[in-house]
Amino acid sequence: MNPPVLIAAGGGGPIIPNFGGNGHAYACEQANRLFCWGWFSHNWSGTLWPALRQHVVLVLIAVAIGFAISMLLALLAHRFRPVEQPVIAFTSFLYTIPSLALFELLIPVPGLGLSRATAEVALVAYTLLILFRNILAGLRNVPADVLDAARGMGMSHRQMLWRVELPLALPAIIAGLRIATVSTVALATIAALVDNEGLGVPILSGINDYYFKTELIAAGALTVLLAVAADGMLVGVQRLLTPWSRGRAA
Amino acid sequence: MSSALDHDASSATGTATRGDASTALELELRHVQKAYPGSRQPAIPDLSLTVPAGEVCILVGPSGSGKTTAMRLINRMIPLTGGDILLGGRSVLERPETELRREIGYVIQQVGLFPHQTVRDNIATVPRLLGWPKDRIEHRVRELLELISLDPDEVGDRYPHQLSGGQRQRVGVARALAADPPLLLMDEPFGAIDPINRASLQDGFLALQERVRKTVVFVTHDIDEAIKMGDRIAILREGGTLAQYATPAEILDHPADAFVADFIGADRALKRLGLASLADVTLRPLNGDQPAGDLPVSTSVRDALAAVLAAGGRPLRVLEPDGGVRGLATLEAIGHVLGGAGELDGTGRPPARGQP
Ligand SMILES: Nc1ncnc2c1ncn2[C@@H]1O[C@H](COP(=O)(O)OP(=O)(O)OP(=O)(O)O)[C@@H](O)[C@H]1O
Ligand SMILES: [Mg+2]
C-alpha cells in the first residue's frame, strides 16, 4: 500500500493506540488484528461520537444551504426558461471539479482558509447540480391538464406554485435530496483536509497508520451507516408528506 | 302535460334545488375574434351567439373548427383578439382573470383532478380560493357529493387514482359546481368514457342540470350527444364560422345548408323521431283491433317505430302511466309524424326563452 499523501492539513493528530501499560488489555492491537472492539469502545465517546456529530452538522448545513440556493434557482428557471442553461452549465462545471482540487483552490481565498466555511462552500457546490435538476424536473413534470384546471379555477401563479406544483414536485425534490445527502455524507470525509472535524479525521488518521486499521474501518463504517440512516429518514419524510402516492402501483 | 322526454324520470320532476336557478346568467358572444399569433387565418373570425340564462348550449363541429378556442375565450384562458364577451351583461374583459374564473365552473376533457388531494379537497378548491368558512365548505362538499351520487363517507377521502374514470368525471363536474357558478364550461367532458358509462353520465348530468339550471356551454364533436344534451346547438364549421345555431329539433327539421345536413347525418329523420315521444303522435283509436303488444306513452317515437317493426308491422297499444289506453301506434301514424315533424313540440325540454 502506498503511504498516504493527504496528511498535511489533517492536523487532528492520529489517535495512536497505546501499546504501553497492561499488555493484556491491548492484546488485540498488539496482535494487529483487523478490527479491535476494545479500541472501538474505548474511543467511542472521546473520538468517534464527536466526529460523527460534527459530520452530521457539516452535512446538514451543506444540504440546507444547497437546497435553498437550488430551490431559488429552480423557481427562477421554472418561470423564466432562459435561466436554465446557464445554471446547468455552471453547476455542472462545479460538479466536475475534483474535490481535492476544489478544497485546495478555496484555501487561498480570503476569509476561507482552513475552516469549516471552506468545507461548506465546497460541499454546497457539489449539491447544486443534483438538487437544481431534480427540483426543476419535478416542477416541470406536473401534468398539463392539472395546471390547466388549476388556472381555469382561478388560481394565481403563487397559489398554483404552493398548492399544486410544489406538492406534486415533492417526490422528485426528495429524490434529489436523497442523492445529495448521501453523496455529501461521503464527500464530507474529505473536508477533514481543510476543516479538522467530522468522520474524515479518524479516517485520515487511520489511513496514515500503516498497521492499525481499526480506526479507519470504524470511521468508514460509521460514514456508511450515517448515509444509510439519512437516506432512510428521507424516505420516511417522503411517505409522510406524500400520502397520495401510498399504495399506488410503483 | 309533463313531457315524456324527461331524461331522468326519477329526478327530473326535481322538487329539490330549483332555487339555484336565480344564479344562472346569460352569456353573449359579440363579434368574437381569435387569431393565434403566427397563424395566417384566425381560428375564429367573427362569432356571435347568445346563450339564455339556464340553458345548455352545445358547441359541436369537426376537429379544428374552434370549439375549444371559443370556450376558452369565455373564461379568458386565452386572450380575445377582437369583439367582446358578456356574462350577465358585463364584459369579461373588465374583470380580473382570477376573479372571473372563480365565478365560472370549468370542466376539461382530461378532468385534471389534483392527484395529491382527496376528492373532498378537490371539490373544495374554489370555495377555498374564495375564502369560505370551513363549515360552509364542508357542508357544500357533502351536498355536491350527494348531488353526483357518490357517498361522501365512502369516496370523500379517496385520492383521484382510487376512483373509476366515470367517478372522476363526476367529481370534476362537482368541483366545477362547488362555488355555485352562474356559468359552467365543459370541454368534451365525457369524451374519454366508454359508450355505456357515457350514456349514464349524460343522463346524470341532465338530471343534475334539471336541478341546478346553470347556463352551460358544452363542447363535443358527437352530434348525438349534442342532440341529447342541448337546449340549443351551435354547429361550427372548419374555419371557425357558425353554420347554424338553433334548437335540436329545428336543426334536424331544417338544416341550414348542406354542411349541416351532412354533419347531422343521413339518419336525421330517425334522430328527429328520437326527440319526440308517443305523446306527440296522433294515435289511431282502438277499434277492436288486435294489438301485438303494449308501449308506455313515454316511449320515444324512434323506439316505438323499432317496436312496431319488430312486431312485423302490426300496431301496438299505447298505455298512459295510469294504465289507461291512449290509442294505437301504427306504422302509418308514425310515418305521419315524420312528414309533419316541424309541428312537434320539440325536445320535450323546457322551451327556450323567446319560444312559445
Ligand atoms: N395554441 C394555439 N396556437 C395556434 N393555433 C391554435 C392553437 N390552439 C388551437 N389552434 C388552432 O385553432 C383552430 C381551432 O382549434 P380548437 O382547438 O379550438 O379546435 P376544436 O374545435 O376544439 O377541435 P377538436 O375537436 O380537435 O378539439 C385549429 O386550426 C388549431 O390548429
Ligand atoms: Mg377541442
Side-chain angles (χ1 to χ4, degrees):
Chain A
M1 183 206 251
N2 287 329
V5 288
L6 312 174
I7 342 153
I15 300 134
I16 298 166
N18 183 357
F19 289 105
N22 185 345
H24 183 71
Y26 299 99
C28 173
E29 285 86 340
Q30 278 163 347
N32 199 20
R33 302 239 171 82
L34 191 60
F35 190 81
C36 298
W37 277 108
W39 184 92
F40 181 83
S41 53
H42 191 254
N43 288 281
W44 170 253
S45 59
T47 307
L48 294 172
W49 173 238
L52 178 62
R53 276 181 12 218
Q54 290 159 359
H55 206 84
V56 169
V57 172
L58 270 174
V59 170
L60 275 182
I61 293 177
V63 172
I65 296 177
F67 180 72
I69 297 174
S70 309
M71 179 59 85
L72 275 176
L73 290 173
L75 289 177
L76 263 177
H78 183 47
R79 197 76 181 271
F80 311 103
R81 254 182 191 272
V83 172
E84 179 184 0
Q85 277 318 312
V87 173
I88 290 278
F90 181 64
T91 54
S92 303
F93 164 72
L94 289 178
Y95 197 74
T96 53
I97 305 175
S99 48
L100 286 176
L102 183 55
F103 286 117
E104 289 300 322
L105 282 170
L106 287 172
I107 292 172
V109 174
L112 290 178
L114 292 174
S115 69
R116 181 186 274 184
T118 308
E120 294 293 6
V121 169
L123 292 178
V124 166
Y126 287 114
T127 63
L128 295 180
L129 178 64
I130 292 163
L131 287 174
F132 174 78
R133 284 205 146 164
N134 270 273
I135 298 171
L136 189 59
L139 291 171
R140 291 218 174 125
N141 277 344
V142 176
D145 58 316
V146 172
L147 292 177
D148 199 53
R151 199 161 79 90
M153 282 187 290
M155 285 194 191
S156 64
H157 275 295
R158 178 179 296 233
Q159 285 164 333
M160 282 171 72
L161 182 67
W162 283 103
R163 298 180 191 207
V164 179
E165 296 178 285
L166 283 175
L168 286 175
L170 260 182
I173 293 174
I174 293 180
L177 274 175
R178 287 174 60 189
I179 305 172
T181 305
V182 168
S183 61
T184 305
V185 167
L187 208 56
T189 57
I190 299 175
L193 288 173
V194 295
D195 173 27
N196 189 23
E197 55 177 348
L199 286 167
V201 176
I203 286 178
L204 284 182
S205 133
I207 288 173
N208 288 332
D209 194 310
Y210 194 78
Y211 296 107
F212 182 69
K213 290 299 170 202
T214 298
E215 190 174 17
L216 174 64
I217 293 171
L222 284 176
T223 310
V224 172
L225 284 178
L226 178 60
V228 171
D231 194 53
M233 267 181 47
L234 283 169
V235 171
V237 167
Q238 164 157 7
R239 282 184 58 87
L240 271 181
L241 292 182
T242 61
W244 65 89
S245 55
R246 260 178 245 160
R248 200 170 195 171
Chain B
M1 169 182 70
S2 164
S3 165
L5 284 180
D6 276 339
H7 294 271
D8 185 311
S10 57
S11 60
T13 44
T15 47
T17 355
R18 291 265 165 142
D20 283 336
S22 58
T23 65
L25 290 177
E26 182 188 80
L27 175 73
E28 183 184 355
L29 276 63
R30 220 180 250 178
H31 298 293
V32 161
Q33 192 227 41
K34 174 65 192 179
Y36 284 106
S39 36
R40 261 180 292 149
Q41 283 174 349
I44 296 178
D46 182 1
L47 178 64
S48 296
L49 59 86
T50 301
V51 186
E55 286 202 6
V56 179
C57 165
I58 311 280
L59 292 179
V60 68
S63 187
S65 55
K67 307 180 291 293
T68 300
T69 301
M71 207 185 81
R72 286 166 72 86
L73 287 170
I74 297 169
N75 62 352
R76 295 180 62 194
M77 292 296 279
I78 49 179
L80 266 176
T81 52
D84 200 357
I85 295 175
L86 301 139
L87 180 58
R90 200 168 154 206
S91 169
V92 297
L93 297 174
E94 46 178 65
R95 315 185 48 189
E97 284 177 18
T98 52
E99 182 199 302
L100 175 77
R101 291 184 194 136
R102 288 171 198 175
E103 204 186 288
I104 299 177
Y106 185 42
V107 185
I108 59 175
Q109 177 171 352
Q110 311 86 333
V111 196
L113 291 183
F114 298 144
H116 61 299
Q117 292 185 352
T118 60
V119 165
R120 225 178 266 285
D121 289 338
N122 263 286
I123 295 177
T125 304
V126 180
R128 283 203 183 121
L129 290 172
L130 294 171
W132 286 17
K134 244 182 143 178
D135 48 344
R136 181 171 172 210
I137 295 179
E138 221 162 90
H139 181 257
R140 180 64 178 158
V141 167
R142 183 161 274 276
E143 184 179 67
L144 281 162
L145 279 169
E146 278 156 10
L147 199 64
I148 57 167
S149 315
L150 290 179
D151 180 356
D153 301 309
E154 164 87 22
V155 175
D157 293 318
R158 289 208 205 154
Y159 289 100
H161 74 270
Q162 296 166 321
L163 302 177
S164 74
Q167 287 171 332
R168 249 173 275 170
Q169 275 303 344
R170 274 141 72 193
V171 173
V173 174
R175 183 173 70 169
L177 286 171
D180 204 11
L183 172 66
L184 193 58
L185 305 178
M186 308 175 85
D187 192 356
E188 305 207 31
F190 311 137
I193 308 283
D194 65 273
I196 293 173
N197 280 309
R198 192 173 183 170
S200 89
L201 280 169
Q202 290 168 343
D203 293 340
F205 178 74
L206 286 170
L208 188 68
Q209 168 65 1
E210 197 70 37
R211 293 174 62 184
V212 299
R213 295 278 169 180
K214 300 296 178 192
T215 308
V216 179
V217 177
F218 186 113
V219 167
T220 179
H221 54 242
D222 175 355
I223 186 66
D224 291 308
E225 185 169 64
I227 291 168
K228 176 172 176 182
M229 309 287 287
D231 293 312
R232 285 156 184 271
I233 301 177
I235 301 184
L236 294 172
R237 69 174 104 228
E238 285 96 342
T241 55
L242 189 61
Q244 189 168 8
Y245 181 46
T247 63
E250 273 172 60
I251 285 179
L252 290 171
D253 290 342
H254 310 291
D257 57 19
F259 168 80
V260 175
D262 189 46
F263 191 78
I264 58 184
D267 61 341
R268 71 181 164 94
L270 280 177
K271 285 182 172 134
R272 184 63 184 85
L273 288 185
L275 285 180
S277 79
L278 285 177
D280 299 316
V281 177
T282 315
L283 298 172
R284 241 187 53 201
L286 196 64
N287 292 333
D289 297 82
Q290 201 42 256
D294 295 333
L295 288 172
V297 69
S298 61
T299 311
S300 81
V301 180
R302 185 178 185 157
D303 291 346
L305 174 63
V308 172
L309 291 176
R314 284 163 58 207
L316 295 171
R317 197 165 56 164
V318 179
L319 299 180
E320 301 276 13
D322 61 12
V325 177
R326 190 182 175 94
L328 213 54
T330 62
L331 273 181
E332 190 194 357
I334 291 170
H336 202 73
V337 171
L338 265 179
E343 298 155 20
L344 292 185
D345 125 272
T347 64
R349 315 272 298 283
R353 203 200 276 177
Q355 285 187 332

